[in-house]
Amino acid sequence: MIEDRVKIRIVGYDQEALDNVVKKFTTTLKEEGVEMSGPIPLPTHRELYTILRSPHKHKDSREQFERRIHKRIITAKLSQKALNALSGIKLPSSVSVSLVLESK
């Protein structure tokens, strides 16, 4: 048993895919009987890009693009068995997961 708590940070561009992964993680942790809290939604990071449509003239003609990054955190006390169960979950390409060990 790992004595320290682990923060599972899940980040993605697609909110639906992110929520599906979070649901898979929480059901897997509940099946393993792990003490957990979350998922906690963090603020969405929004990036705006403005680009000139024509680089040589018509400066007033611009196009704007936006990218949103959604984040969730789950904290849990993981056992080796639960960690192996989590590593078997398939992730879409738009979602990334990082584990941070939190010592007392």
Side-chain angles (χ1 to χ4, degrees):
M1 178 85 172
I2 300 172
E3 295 298 324
D4 299 326
R5 294 184 71 79
V6 175
K7 280 188 180 178
I8 304 168
R9 187 168 190 225
I10 307 168
V11 179
Y13 298 115
D14 185 13
Q15 187 174 3
E16 291 177 14
L18 179 79
D19 289 336
N20 289 337
V21 170
V22 167
K23 186 185 258 185
K24 287 180 189 176
F25 271 61
T26 54
T27 55
T28 304
L29 290 174
K30 286 178 184 176
E31 287 173 0
E32 296 294 327
V34 173
E35 177 186 331
M36 64 170 241
S37 65
I40 301 168
L42 295 176
T44 301
H45 182 73
R46 186 173 157 223
E47 295 176 351
L48 283 174
Y49 300 100
T50 304
I51 298 172
L52 292 173
R53 287 187 185 187
S54 174
H56 303 295
K57 60 179 184 175
H58 304 299
K59 185 177 170 145
D60 295 333
S61 176
R62 298 177 186 204
E63 220 170 339
Q64 290 189 330
F65 298 97
E66 176 182 65
R67 181 168 69 175
R68 293 180 183 221
I69 302 171
H70 305 278
K71 298 171 259 187
R72 307 283 186 271
I73 285 187
I74 300 172
T75 57
K77 286 188 178 180
L78 291 182
S79 63
Q80 189 65 36
K81 185 180 174 187
L83 191 60
N84 288 338
L86 287 180
S87 65
I89 295 176
K90 297 198 188 248
L91 299 175
S93 61
S94 64
V95 176
S96 67
V97 174
S98 63
L99 298 173
V100 177
L101 190 63
E102 206 178 57
S103 61
K104 294 181 181 180

